[in-house]
Amino acid sequence: MLSQLDSLKTDALAAISAAQDEAALETVRVNFLGKKGSVTALSQGMKDVPVDQKKEVGAKLNDVRTTITDGIESKKFALQAALDAKAVEGIDITLPGRPSTGNGAMHPLTQIRDLAIRTLRRLGFILAEGPEIETEFHCFDALNTPADHPARNEKDTFYLPDGRLLRTHTSSVQIRTMEAAKSLPIRIIAPGAAYRRDEIDATHLSVFNQLEGLYVSNDVSLADLKGTLEAFFREIFGPNTAVRFRPHFFPFTEPSFEIDVKLEATGKDARWIEIAGCGMVDPAVFTAVNQSRGDNLFDPETTTGFAFGLGLDRLAMILHSITDIRHLIENDVRFLQQFAA
Ligand code: DAH
């Protein structure tokens, strides 16, 4: 048995070194180590080896198997190295490189998002985030949105089979942030994707981008809301931009407003353009958050806050006079090049 093993080893190593490609090498492996291979066959003879020789023969068997396995591995490596060398053969590495045909640039949406973040950070807001797959609680219930509200309709919202959903707005991050908060004040912004089952057209996509803001403390007033957002929009649209707060309804704020900015359009009269929603956080939202937390950190008697949300795609469209939202996702270089610095 020992001498059989020795000659098997010699044969295997010879076969390995003779193999010219991967396929040949694989044949060698199957012949020696495969289910019906010679090493396997010999190892089945182990049971007939006298007890006093079992140890020595067993060790030898292992040695032969390892030697063949390692031999195959290193041959495989050598074959690949030879192939690689061949692939670059004849390439003149002293040739100069091809110059790059132009620098990349930030996507207009990224530019707007970063400008908004920069501006709001200077006003004291920090970044927050939450999941895009949300629970009904975080997206609707805790935001004081009743079960029969149209936004919760199967026709408008992407539901998952397990009852969760793709968030329809970034307002869910308000709830996530308040649930996790250790203390007040909270001053966060959350840019991110939102999803709606809209018919896709020049102004609608089923995935779009929002930016949410939330400021919660014990003395936040409507004046703070107006001052903050006026400052923000004047920073974005220019220092003389008129900003107006038009009463509106949102379930999670009371009072609520839509914000319009007055913008010049070339050749036309300036007109009011709706740009964001906002309001004072409804006490019912604080109550829902407290219930979820199991404490009273957001005591509805003493806690006040404002929230706002805006569409970043819309902001980019207004700022750059983009007439079709689909340009923002089509990656047409002729479109994108216009926004390169
Ligand atoms: N979530 C609203 C939407 O998607 C926008 C919004 C309105 C957010 C008012 C707010 C807010 O935080 O206070 O239409």
Side-chain angles (χ1 to χ4, degrees):
M1 179 102 165
L2 285 175
S3 64
Q4 268 177 306
L5 279 167
D6 271 333
S7 66
L8 202 60
K9 183 159 140 183
T10 317
D11 290 353
L13 291 179
I16 291 170
S17 91
Q20 292 301 325
D21 55 30
E22 271 224 56
L25 199 58
E26 176 59 12
T27 310
V28 175
R29 193 191 63 77
V30 171
N31 286 344
F32 288 89
L33 303 175
K35 266 207 195 85
K36 296 193 180 125
S38 8
V39 176
T40 319
L42 264 191
S43 67
Q44 275 151 10
M46 268 301 281
K47 58 181 186 307
D48 304 323
V49 173
V51 179
D52 59 341
Q53 293 173 28
K54 265 203 180 5
K55 194 168 165 194
E56 194 187 352
V57 175
K60 185 90 184 174
L61 189 64
N62 276 338
D63 167 60
V64 171
R65 198 182 281 123
T66 334
T67 309
I68 298 176
T69 311
D70 292 352
I72 290 177
E73 265 314 296
S74 45
K75 180 67 185 241
K76 203 184 260 180
F77 197 78
L79 285 173
Q80 187 58 48
L83 280 180
D84 291 348
K86 201 154 179 204
V88 295
E89 209 174 62
I91 291 181
D92 181 354
I93 57 166
T94 64
L95 279 177
R98 291 194 193 94
S100 92
T101 48
N103 293 331
M106 291 290 183
H107 191 279
L109 205 51
T110 311
Q111 293 182 24
I112 295 293
R113 190 197 57 196
D114 289 354
L115 173 64
I117 293 173
R118 265 201 313 279
T119 309
L120 287 158
R121 284 175 84 130
R122 272 196 281 126
L123 292 167
F125 290 84
I126 61 169
L127 278 171
E129 59 181 2
E132 292 177 18
I133 297 179
E134 260 302 2
T135 63
E136 285 200 88
F137 175 76
H138 292 93
C139 198
F140 296 127
D141 296 301
L143 286 161
N144 197 33
T145 308
D148 59 357
H149 192 281
R152 300 182 66 150
N153 202 301
E154 297 248 345
K155 286 217 315 285
D156 298 312
T157 302
F158 293 106
Y159 282 93
L160 274 64
D162 66 5
R164 290 181 301 165
L165 48 83
L166 298 184
R167 69 179 181 201
T168 57
H169 52 184
T170 45
S171 301
S172 52
V173 184
Q174 293 185 32
I175 306 302
R176 293 275 170 193
T177 306
M178 288 192 274
E179 278 181 335
K182 299 214 162 54
S183 60
L184 302 186
I186 289 171
R187 215 185 277 118
I188 59 105
I189 46 172
Y195 301 81
R196 285 181 205 171
R197 289 179 79 142
D198 277 328
E199 218 41 78
I200 293 176
D201 60 23
T203 51
H204 296 86
L205 290 173
S206 43
V207 189
F208 55 105
N209 297 277
Q210 290 192 325
L211 184 139
E212 192 78 15
L214 177 70
Y215 174 26
V216 177
S217 188
N218 291 314
D219 52 3
V220 182
S221 71
L222 192 55
D224 295 319
L225 165 63
K226 291 188 76 175
T228 305
L229 292 176
E230 271 176 18
F232 172 68
F233 285 116
R234 292 205 174 118
E235 196 75 28
I236 303 279
F237 290 108
N240 298 319
T241 309
V243 181
R244 103 182 153 187
F245 292 75
R246 186 166 34 77
H248 195 75
F249 174 81
F250 295 105
F252 33 90
T253 42
E254 178 60 34
S256 305
F257 305 90
E258 277 189 334
I259 304 174
D260 303 331
V261 288
K262 196 169 190 179
L263 295 176
E264 315 281 338
T266 30
K268 290 191 211 140
D269 287 340
R271 57 189 185 107
W272 291 104
I273 297 181
E274 178 213 321
I275 191 85
C278 67
M280 302 303 293
V281 179
D282 194 303
V285 174
F286 292 138
T287 304
V289 167
N290 286 334
Q291 259 165 23
S292 163
R293 295 171 54 97
D295 65 12
N296 200 36
L297 179 64
F298 297 89
D299 183 347
E301 294 299 322
T302 54
T303 313
T304 49
F306 70 68
F308 59 95
L310 55 97
L312 288 171
D313 314 79
R314 198 172 149 74
L315 197 58
M317 289 175 74
I318 294 170
L319 267 175
H320 297 302
S321 306
I322 298 167
T323 49
D324 193 319
I325 193 172
R326 289 167 290 199
H327 286 313
L328 291 174
I329 57 165
E330 279 167 355
N331 284 342
D332 185 329
V333 176
R334 291 166 304 176
F335 169 76
L336 294 174
Q337 252 164 3
Q338 305 172 70
F339 308 98

